[in-house]
Amino acid sequence: MDLGESSDNLIAAIAGEPDQLDPHKTSAYFSFEVLENVFDTLVEPDGNLEMRPALAESWEVSPDQLTWTFHLRPGVTFHDGSPFSADDVVYSYRRIIDEQLTNSDKFSAVIDVSAPNAETVVIRLKQPTPNLLTNIGGFKGMAIVSRRNVESGQIATHPVGTGPFAFSGQKSGDSITLTANPSYWGGAPKVSGVTFRFISEPTTALSALQAGEIDWTDSIPPQRVAQLRDDDSMNLAVTASNDYWYLALNEARKPWNDVRVRQAIAYGIDRDSIVAATSYGTAATNQLAIPEGNPWYTDYHRYRYDIDKAEALLDEAGVSGTDLDMLVTSEYPETVTAAQVIADNLAPLGFTVNIRTVDFATWLDEQNTGNFDMLMMGWLGNIDPDDFYYAQHHTDGTSNAQKFSDPEVDRLLDTGRVETNRQAREDLYRRATTLIADEVSYIYLYNPSVIQGWSTGLSGFESRRDGAIRFRTASLARGETR
């Protein structure tokens, strides 16, 4: 039977096409929506974002906190039938470290990764690392991959993992198909497969869901949320998230290297208007990264919308407005919508905001080469405070495209990485994040909600705060075949 026509093949609509499917190299959320179902990590977050066993069944830490020993789950195989062993873990981690791939900063404390036998992995650290489990298991960028899959050059287009679904095929511009892995260590999935369709327009995705053409989507028009809450023909979840959206000014360029000019922009934007335009009020404005309700939340409200204050700061800096090149991407439509509000906000200050809308691959290139004055983007799937701040705001951070550098922030972030006392660690991050906001490394905007809809025939799926899309326990009750 053709998988697309199987009555228990789950059809999910996502808002964009993955740039590639190598979990160690992509940083695109669309890729991870697919890869969440293909790959495993040693440990993984549960619904409360506590780390639980996955490919590792158990682990212990030495008294000095410098040696972690992981005991692997026996009998696990990759989708191509080859056995999973400790060598695969060592290979995966060494690949990220040695090639300095996207998430290499998560291994900054690691001295050595070894496999004393096929069932055991030992990670040795140069300093205590209280968030090691979050680092290695927080998301599928830390996936355990197959050496053969990498060395054949196929991982970016035909990934092979150990997860609940195996990659089956991709139609460029249209869809990616996965098939159930009957020998998955967590139990065989209840659906025969998952087809991810790329539907960039949320109204189109919602119509397809209501018409029964798809079973699940996270591409829901936020302006329809209030009305859909009362719609019995579908399930709707609006889940507060740890994600955040921000603006960044390129501090390698004048006048953005002057903190007063960055602060002027922070006072010159109207967060409430941005939230109304981008999310129809489903998001929560925030001047820091971590949302209220999260145990790491810090109360901070410095930047009210205040044109007079912004003008005074610009006068003090001797800046009288200028052209501002704002980099956004059509693949994250909220960036385009917000840019229009920001352009209106900053016009009275003498700034002409030239909105440059590009595809996401181009956006990443332009960000990485520093070809922008301002950009807008989100950080998704964060758990530990280190996830929210280190890569983005440390002088040597791997995602510090805005070129922010402050020795005290560096010291606080470095110390936060090794502090095992919870209260002391909270204090370090409270001080670091306050400085980051005071000095405007990012202009934080809001924490969005994870908004997802699915058919009444789909059960066993849970909307998660980290936005991880897991279909391993989903099942479908559907009358007719497609």
Side-chain angles (χ1 to χ4, degrees):
M1 181 184 288
D2 177 71
L3 235 178
E5 296 180 354
S6 169
S7 65
D8 66 345
N9 178 63
L10 194 155
I11 300 179
I14 59 176
E17 182 164 12
D19 63 334
Q20 59 157 308
L21 295 171
D22 181 340
H24 293 170
K25 291 188 174 180
T26 185
S27 61
Y29 180 60
F30 304 134
S31 299
F32 287 116
E33 289 189 274
V34 175
L35 297 175
E36 178 70 33
N37 298 279
V38 175
F39 285 98
D40 290 313
T41 42
L42 275 194
V43 294
E44 65 179 11
D46 66 12
N48 294 319
L49 306 188
E50 299 289 342
M51 305 310 293
R52 304 292 184 209
L55 288 175
E57 282 189 313
S58 62
W59 52 90
E60 60 257 1
V61 191
S62 62
D64 63 4
Q65 301 281 314
L66 297 180
T67 304
W68 293 62
T69 304
F70 294 87
H71 305 285
L72 304 186
R73 198 175 292 278
V76 175
T77 57
F78 283 97
H79 298 144
D80 61 3
S82 58
F84 157 77
S85 78
D87 289 340
D88 299 302
V89 180
V90 175
Y91 173 75
S92 298
Y93 290 174
R94 292 269 25 135
R95 179 182 186 232
I96 294 171
I97 294 166
D98 296 344
E99 297 182 32
Q100 286 291 292
L101 299 181
T102 307
N103 299 295
S104 58
D105 64 289
K106 295 194 181 298
F107 288 115
S108 60
V110 172
I111 296 171
D112 182 56
V113 184
S114 61
N117 56 57
E119 294 85 40
T120 311
V121 172
V122 176
I123 298 179
R124 290 178 52 239
L125 307 170
K126 64 184 176 188
Q127 60 202 31
T129 305
N131 59 328
L132 181 71
L133 293 181
T134 304
N135 279 350
I136 64 173
F139 81 123
K140 294 301 185 285
M142 308 303 284
I144 307 306
V145 302
S146 150
R147 180 194 292 263
R148 183 191 308 173
N149 191 214
V150 173
E151 292 180 347
S152 69
Q154 291 190 304
I155 187 167
T157 55
H158 198 293
V160 172
T162 58
F165 295 91
F167 178 85
S168 177
Q170 178 166 6
K171 293 180 190 169
S172 182
D174 180 73
S175 61
I176 284 175
T177 303
L178 311 179
T179 53
N181 173 11
S183 55
Y184 179 55
W185 56 264
K190 298 180 177 70
V191 293
S192 59
V194 181
T195 300
F196 288 92
R197 283 193 189 156
F198 316 139
I199 303 179
S200 59
E201 182 52 57
T203 53
T204 308
L206 177 59
S207 296
L209 179 64
Q210 292 174 322
E213 294 162 13
I214 63 172
D215 303 301
W216 177 96
T217 186
D218 64 349
S219 193
I220 300 278
Q223 67 269 33
R224 299 284 299 277
V225 164
Q227 167 204 353
L228 292 171
R229 288 184 194 274
D230 300 320
D231 187 339
D232 293 338
S233 68
M234 61 175 280
N235 295 300
L236 179 76
V238 181
T239 308
S241 81
N242 281 351
D243 304 343
Y244 65 88
W245 290 86
Y246 66 92
L247 302 171
L249 290 158
N250 187 349
E251 297 178 35
R253 289 183 177 182
K254 291 181 177 179
W256 322 118
N257 59 330
D258 188 323
V259 67
R260 295 167 298 184
V261 180
R262 300 197 302 274
Q263 288 171 338
I265 302 292
Y267 281 110
I269 60 158
D270 182 355
R271 281 180 182 76
D272 291 334
S273 295
I274 293 168
V275 165
T278 56
S279 78
Y280 291 84
T282 60
T285 59
N286 195 358
Q287 297 191 20
L288 296 181
I290 297 180
E292 197 166 359
N294 182 301
W296 299 96
Y297 171 71
T298 296
D299 200 27
Y300 181 97
H301 301 284
R302 176 173 182 164
Y303 298 107
R304 64 196 177 280
Y305 177 46
D306 188 335
I307 292 291
D308 292 340
K309 179 81 171 171
E311 284 178 335
L313 283 160
L314 290 173
D315 289 345
E316 193 182 316
V319 172
S320 56
T322 180
D323 279 13
L324 194 160
D325 166 56
M326 182 163 183
L327 182 66
V328 296
T329 172
S330 49
E331 289 174 61
Y332 291 99
E334 48 271 273
T335 64
V336 181
T337 305
Q340 292 157 351
V341 176
I342 291 160
D344 290 342
N345 287 168
L346 297 182
L349 295 172
F351 290 101
T352 302
V353 177
N354 300 306
I355 301 169
R356 187 156 51 101
T357 307
V358 297
D359 63 65
F360 188 53
T362 305
W363 186 98
L364 286 167
D365 287 341
E366 297 287 79
Q367 174 201 238
N368 293 338
T369 53
N371 187 23
F372 66 92
D373 287 322
M374 177 191 274
L375 53 77
M376 177 176 170
M377 192 41 64
W379 269 89
L380 311 172
N382 313 286
I383 300 176
D384 187 84
D386 186 75
D387 302 337
F388 286 88
Y389 297 120
Y390 196 97
Q392 302 86 332
H393 307 289
H394 193 284
T395 300
D396 301 323
T398 53
S399 297
N400 185 350
Q402 74 278 20
K403 299 292 185 279
F404 175 76
S405 181
D406 179 278
E408 178 64 4
V409 170
D410 288 351
R411 187 189 70 77
L412 291 165
L413 293 178
D414 285 330
T415 310
R417 284 195 148 181
V418 301
E419 178 55 66
T420 53
N421 177 281
R422 174 68 184 241
Q423 191 57 53
R425 198 164 181 246
E426 282 181 18
D427 184 56
L428 289 164
Y429 283 109
R430 184 162 43 252
R431 288 152 59 199
T433 189
T434 299
L435 277 173
I436 286 164
D438 283 350
E439 296 173 17
V440 200
S441 175
Y442 279 178
I443 299 173
Y444 293 101
L445 299 174
Y446 58 87
N447 299 105
S449 291
V450 176
I451 305 173
Q452 299 171 349
W454 58 94
S455 69
T456 54
L458 171 59
S459 58
F461 173 82
E462 287 185 11
S463 181
R464 296 170 51 93
R465 280 192 291 146
D466 60 355
I469 310 304
R470 292 185 186 169
F471 289 125
R472 62 181 78 164
T473 58
S475 58
L476 277 174
R478 195 190 283 135
E480 73 283 3
T481 60
R482 291 205 232 276

